[in-house]
Amino acid sequence: MNHDNYDDNYIRGILSGVKSIAMVGASPVNVRPSYFAFKYLAQRGYDMIPVNPGHVGKELLGKPFVASISELGRPVDMIDIFRNSSHIMPVVDEALKLPEPPKVIWMQLGARDDAAAAKAEAAGIKVVMNRCPKIEYGRLSSEISWMGVNSRTLSSKRAPIPTQGQRLSLNRMSLGGGSTAASDRAAKNKTELT
């Protein structure tokens, strides 16, 4: 597998196929990237499990933290590693010892370990490195273009806001809609000016 460049169908197949994700390095601090990614994926219908030994006893969006993936207590489809590259091999080794290993090991932006990837792939596990499932989901489901990002179209017309329950191209339903405080203010200001 060439981990420098992924085919969209490979990423789409993973994001469409997995249902449960254990996020190693998840944080309950609402300004951390792992918090944003966890919340976004949970709102898209994924069964999320936060893994972080420093937060055991706490919850992230109603989901209790577990100390390690060996303590999950159930199989998961994907392990999303939100740690730096030096911590990847131990997580992969732990995943390979599970009674039912995950189908996917995903390493977040900036995280790459080719030896760990080769070890996981030798065990039949799909691997993605240096990518964010939140970003890839938004890109492949066209949610990003709803906000005018990467739409390849310049227009002064405001894009329609996705609504709760809207069918997305990755065959999942939107649970949270697409409004933000900034977009709501902009829409309000626009109607006040007209």
Side-chain angles (χ1 to χ4, degrees):
M1 164 72 54
N2 175 6
H3 290 289
D4 294 322
N5 213 350
Y6 296 103
D7 184 86
D8 284 351
N9 289 327
Y10 179 73
I11 300 292
R12 185 178 285 113
I14 289 171
L15 294 174
S16 296
V18 302
K19 293 177 179 36
S20 56
I21 302 173
M23 185 180 284
V24 177
S27 174
V29 180
N30 67 0
V31 294
R32 304 283 301 181
S34 62
Y35 177 89
F36 294 129
F38 189 95
K39 181 178 179 181
Y40 180 90
L41 294 170
Q43 288 177 334
R44 297 319 177 270
Y46 292 101
D47 177 15
M48 301 296 294
I49 304 165
V51 180
N52 191 325
H55 296 292
V56 172
K58 298 177 187 174
E59 291 185 348
L60 179 53
L61 304 174
K63 306 282 187 169
F65 276 91
V66 295
S68 67
I69 57 175
S70 62
E71 297 177 25
L72 290 173
R74 64 185 175 103
V76 292
D77 296 325
M78 184 169 101
I79 295 175
D80 182 11
I81 305 173
F82 234 110
R83 303 288 314 272
N84 69 37
S85 299
S86 65
H87 296 279
I88 292 171
M89 186 61 85
V91 174
V92 170
D93 287 337
E94 189 177 9
L96 293 174
K97 292 177 186 172
L98 291 172
E100 192 174 325
K103 298 174 187 145
V104 180
I105 300 276
W106 191 298
M107 300 171 208
Q108 279 291 339
L109 287 172
R112 184 175 179 130
D113 186 329
D114 290 297
K119 192 180 232 185
E121 289 173 331
I125 298 172
K126 291 182 179 181
V127 175
V128 177
M129 296 192 287
N130 193 28
R131 296 283 181 104
C132 175
K134 174 190 180 297
I135 293 170
E136 294 301 310
Y137 186 101
R139 182 179 68 83
L140 294 171
S141 68
S142 300
E143 281 187 353
I144 286 178
S145 68
W146 288 335
M147 296 180 285
V149 178
N150 197 23
S151 64
R152 295 184 181 90
T153 303
L154 294 175
S155 173
S156 61
K157 184 176 178 184
R158 185 171 187 224
I161 295 175
T163 59
Q164 185 170 354
Q166 183 171 356
R167 173 87 34 210
L168 305 173
S169 68
L170 281 172
N171 214 15
R172 293 191 178 273
M173 298 296 278
S174 171
L175 300 177
S179 63
T180 64
S183 67
D184 291 344
R185 278 192 310 273
K188 182 180 177 204
N189 292 342
K190 181 181 177 184
T191 56
E192 288 174 357
L193 293 174
T194 56

